[in-house]
Amino acid sequence: MTTATARPRSRRALPREGDFRWVLLWGVPLRVMHWLAAASIVVLAVTGLYIGKPYFIAGGDTADHFLMGRVRFVHFVAGAVLVMTGIVRIYWLFAGNRFERWHALFPVSAKAIRHMATQAWTYLTVTPEKAPRYLGHNPLQQMSYTSLYLVAIVEVVTGFALYGQSNPSGIFYEAFNWIGPLLGGMPNVRFVHHTLTWVFAIYVPIHIYLAMRADVLEHDSTISSIISGGRMVPPEERFEDD
Amino acid sequence: MFSSLAHPWTAGESLGEHLERRGVSRRDFLEFCGGLCAVLGLGKAAGVRMAEALQAVKRPSVVWIQLQECTGCVESVIRTAEPTIGNLVLDTISLDFSHTLMAAAGHQAEEALQTAMAENMGQYLLIVTGSVPLNDGGVYLTIAGRTARTILEEAAAGAAAVIAVGACAHWGSVQAARPNPTGAVGVSDIIKDKPVLNIAGCPPIGDVVTATVAHYLMFGRLPATDGDGRPLFAYGARIHDQCPRRANFDAGQFVEQFDDDNARKAWCLYHVGCKGPATFSPCPIFQWNGGTDWPIGAGHPCIGCTERNFWDTMSPFYDRLPDVGGFGIEQNVDLIGAALAAGATAGVATHAVMTAMHQRKLRRELPVMDAPGAGNVPPSTTPSGKE
């Protein structure tokens, strides 16, 4: 079928045709949570930057405006959505398939750790055909997504600590008032909460680019997998995590 | 109005009798007690009970020691345009020993302290202002040849309760700010075996001190405190949530510079660094100097002086975010963040171009005779530039 003269590594530069198999990677809960989290993070970043530095000033009569009040409300609702997606994700770490389970959070085996380095190297040297092949997340992806989970957790925890201050007899204050002393005062909590926003702002373009790049290079509907749940791969192709 | 010199306390006199002799009418005193009850959140009916309890007090012994501090707290408590009954009560009960206020000096002063402690062992109320320097054996503060730590430990040993007044006694205040050369700490860092109540602030509001002492005299115990030992009746709510300018915050109306139009309209000071959202204090309600004014009322942002480590964590006082590490770059965290995000975007765009060039090169390496449809689509049919 395939050309005898073309080297396999070159072949991958071209779209395939012929038989494909569809591999289900991401269950419905994971896909729904991905998009809810994506939307809430965008809303949280935009409203959060306004709360941190109000760049619109409402003129006129005070009684006619509730700008900061509304922005804070939207921020808190979006935060609640993000926390909800986190709770479902934690449940899905135990209920999901093998690509979604907690084993897939970070590379453990020596081979996976080696592949993480290889993956990074192929990004740096722009040699995608040398990258190890994975169906689910490759080890570098696992590390980067899990790191983002950790950043999100810090954001949520510091956010609750800041939120709890409005009601010192409330449950959020009781549950999160250890954060302030831990970080050396509430202004530091605010600083961490504020600064980590930019991690998301830096992360998003890289994430979107790498997803699009993989989709274009691999010709295996990578982007579609976070909508449809699966990838189209040639039946003969071997993957590290197949 | 109520001169303390004209009518010194006589032995065996109760506080009620003493105040009467000094011209405080029962009506005035009830009014004062009602006000204190409101401060403590006790309800109106408790006013009469408090009046009875306070009147019956035989001169309680209060030892007020002053350590590493600026005496501003004492000033805050005693200095008003007209002495109030509260000042009088506090003034009267705290006469046993006070470094600043007592007439005695030298050996006489030391003797007064030793006598007050010995006579009321286990019963006196110890009020402390000022921090305790610990570095180099505590040499940075010695009184009569003894270190602050020794003085404090000795005074606290026989005290029924300890009240730390002011930020210095609370956690060390400005002398404990980085790099804290004298190793200054607060009272609760030294005294571990009995409850220490912290009346936070630099300086704290005098009414809070009076109300706390009144609470102790009435109930025989210190009021309920938060996690940092501060009495909840005073430090149970944020400035931000009691602020008269909160409506402007919610509306999105902010002062951008201290002399702009918005400042004249008394809009919210959040933009110019107000720390009200992180500060628990009764300032908006109690205010200073007999309810004359308070910082935000005068157009200055809150600097968060009732919070632990506020010199380090709340500064720069006119910026929203702290100056972590003292580099000053944190003021521009948004600029740096936006630059990094833009850099990441530019980086991935560059990477995309490099990837496209690489793919094009790989495709050129494919043999020309590579038949169409034989497993691969020939390069010519791939839309160029899309990869």
Side-chain angles (χ1 to χ4, degrees), chain B residues 286-300:
Chain B
F286 293 6
Q287 307 200 346
W288 260 274
N289 300 333
T292 308
D293 209 349
W294 67 298
I296 290 174
H300 190 279

Side-chain angles (χ1 to χ4, degrees), chain A residues 1-3 5-7 9-17 49-54 56-62 65-69 72 123-124 126-129 162 165-166 168 173 184-188 190-191 194-195 198 201-202 205-206 209 213 216-217 219, chain B residues 226 236-238 241 246-254 256 262 267 270-271 275 277-280 313-314 320-322 324 330 333-334 337-338 340-341 344-345 348 351-352 354-355 358-359 362-363 365-367 369-371 373-379 382 386-387:
Chain A
M1 275 296 286
T2 53
T3 56
T5 44
R7 284 166 298 172
R9 56 182 273 197
S10 302
R11 230 177 53 225
R12 281 194 29 219
L14 297 171
R16 302 178 187 89
E17 60 180 30
L49 287 174
Y50 177 78
I51 294 166
K53 188 160 194 152
F56 300 121
I57 306 276
D61 195 3
T62 306
H65 300 286
F66 199 57
L67 178 59
M68 178 60 101
R72 288 174 73 237
Y123 279 143
L124 287 175
V126 199
T127 47
E129 68 283 353
L162 291 166
Q165 293 231 305
S166 64
Y173 184 84
M186 289 316 289
N188 289 358
R190 184 167 278 108
F191 177 75
H194 184 115
T195 309
W198 289 106
I202 295 161
I206 298 175
Y209 164 68
R213 182 178 187 265
V216 170
L217 292 184
H219 310 292
Chain B
D226 68 4
R238 277 191 306 179
D241 295 319
R246 178 58 186 263
N248 301 104
F249 173 84
D250 285 335
Q253 300 183 317
F254 303 99
E256 292 180 286
N262 301 351
W267 281 0
Y270 182 80
H271 226 180
K275 301 303 185 297
T279 306
F280 288 82
T313 64
M314 299 285 184
R320 288 280 313 126
L321 293 173
V324 181
E330 287 76 8
V333 65
D334 288 342
L340 285 175
T345 312
V348 297
H351 199 266
M354 287 165 71
T355 307
H358 176 76
Q359 291 300 101
L362 279 189
R363 254 180 271 121
E365 284 172 12
L366 287 172
M369 65 281 271
D370 196 6
N376 290 317
V377 180
T382 311
K386 287 284 170 61
E387 302 183 18

